[in-house]
Amino acid sequence: MQHGKYRFIVGFLALPLGLYALFVVWPFIQSIYYSFTDWTGLSPEFKMVGLDNYRRMLDDEIFWKSLQHSLIFALVLPLVTISLALFFSFMINVGGRHRRGGPVVTGVRGSSFYKIVYFFPQVLSIAIVALLFAFAYNPDSGAINSVLRGIGLDSVQPLWLGDPDLALWAVMAVLVWSTVGFFVVLFSAGMASIPADLYEAALLDGAGRATTFFRMTLPLLWDTVQSGWIYMGILALGAESFAVVQIMTTGPGGPDYSTTVMVLYVYQKAFRDGQAAYATTIGVALLLVTLAFAALVMRLGRRERLEY
């Protein structure tokens, strides 16, 4: 059985690894190379400028604002999204009361319907979601302020995306709404694989919902939670945050750069300002932030693997 094993493995891995190296690794290497040049992105001619782009980046006030906003996205969005998804998943799968003649461990009434409702935003494109919420946040005719006026809160009429203090949080709320359903389904699948006997034994021992969740469900799901945390952080640092900020905010990235994130700043410098080399420099910084985030989550989340 060992004869030709390595040739067999190499034969299967050669093509996907080659494609990965060509379309993922090589563009990263090119970006790092271009970050040391003055390439505009429009001309085939450029020259080496050493660390000039990196010095410029460190002196760029907008870059530091975008870095701060991206870090807020990476820290707050996974925390809120994963926490909500765990709570909803637990209630859907385990948090219901025992009904006569039914299983001992069950979800709340209508749990199947709730799964569909939570997952529904995943069916919509993030561009459509951003457009819908952009209309909802409109301070004059938007649904949110209209509801506030309808219940007599005429004095509470936030500008939402026009307020520098609220715009970033309003955008983050959209990302939470659009992504929490995916993690509800992911965690529900993990909870469904936990044997019901464990829950029944915990209930017989007098364990409540909170004890059952923190002492049994969460430790057994920890690997899935850790992977989901990293995945959500990458979304918050990358395409998802770019899409909602680009579509929903004024500028985009405004007002007063209050919603500018690193990935949006890369796009603006490359395609709006014709400064591709400087854009790749910011992209290298974004790569380092993403790798540091993933390494930190894996390091802090390391614990002994539990099996059942």
Side-chain angles (χ1 to χ4, degrees), residues 99-162:
R99 293 182 283 274
R100 184 177 300 177
V104 175
V105 179
T106 184
V108 297
R109 289 184 182 274
S111 56
S112 299
F113 171 74
Y114 292 137
K115 287 182 182 179
I116 297 174
V117 171
Y118 292 141
F119 191 75
F120 175 73
Q122 290 293 311
V123 180
L124 301 176
S125 165
I126 188 63
I128 295 176
V129 171
L131 285 172
L132 291 174
F133 273 90
F135 290 124
Y137 280 134
N138 188 292
D140 298 321
S141 59
I144 299 177
N145 281 4
S146 296
V147 171
L148 293 176
R149 287 192 293 269
I151 60 178
L153 296 177
D154 296 62
S155 59
V156 183
Q157 297 289 296
L159 293 178
W160 299 113
L161 299 175

Side-chain angles (χ1 to χ4, degrees), residues 170-200:
V171 169
M172 291 173 62
V174 175
L175 283 174
V176 171
W177 183 85
S178 65
T179 55
V180 70
F182 170 81
F183 293 100
V184 169
V185 174
L186 177 66
F187 296 149
S188 294
M191 291 180 190
S193 66
I194 299 176
D197 296 346
L198 297 179
Y199 287 111
E200 293 175 4

Side-chain angles (χ1 to χ4, degrees), residues 16-210:
L17 286 178
L19 293 174
Y20 182 82
L22 178 63
F23 293 108
V24 178
V25 177
W26 180 241
F28 279 130
I29 296 174
Q30 285 183 309
S31 297
I32 296 172
Y33 171 75
Y34 285 127
S35 70
F36 295 102
T37 71
D38 63 352
W39 184 45
T40 64
L42 303 174
S43 171
E45 299 179 357
F46 56 85
K47 63 180 180 180
M48 302 297 294
V49 294
L51 297 175
D52 287 357
N53 288 324
Y54 290 92
R55 295 190 189 98
R56 175 187 173 188
M57 182 179 69
L58 296 178
D59 293 332
D60 189 345
E61 182 182 354
I62 301 175
F63 164 75
W64 289 110
K65 282 187 177 182
S66 68
L67 174 60
Q68 178 185 356
H69 298 154
S70 291
L71 291 177
I72 293 174
F73 270 62
L75 295 175
V76 176
L77 275 176
L79 176 63
V80 175
T81 305
I82 298 298
S83 298
L84 287 174
L86 283 170
F87 172 75
F88 292 146
S89 302
F90 185 77
M91 297 305 295
I92 286 174
N93 292 275
V94 185
R97 297 186 180 277
H98 173 63
R99 293 182 283 274
R100 184 177 300 177
V104 175
V105 179
T106 184
V108 297
R109 289 184 182 274
S111 56
S112 299
F113 171 74
Y114 292 137
K115 287 182 182 179
I116 297 174
V117 171
Y118 292 141
F119 191 75
F120 175 73
Q122 290 293 311
V123 180
L124 301 176
S125 165
I126 188 63
I128 295 176
V129 171
L131 285 172
L132 291 174
F133 273 90
F135 290 124
Y137 280 134
N138 188 292
D140 298 321
S141 59
I144 299 177
N145 281 4
S146 296
V147 171
L148 293 176
R149 287 192 293 269
I151 60 178
L153 296 177
D154 296 62
S155 59
V156 183
Q157 297 289 296
L159 293 178
W160 299 113
L161 299 175
D163 187 339
D165 296 326
L166 286 178
L168 187 69
W169 304 103
V171 169
M172 291 173 62
V174 175
L175 283 174
V176 171
W177 183 85
S178 65
T179 55
V180 70
F182 170 81
F183 293 100
V184 169
V185 174
L186 177 66
F187 296 149
S188 294
M191 291 180 190
S193 66
I194 299 176
D197 296 346
L198 297 179
Y199 287 111
E200 293 175 4
L203 292 175
L204 290 175
D205 289 339
R209 283 191 178 94

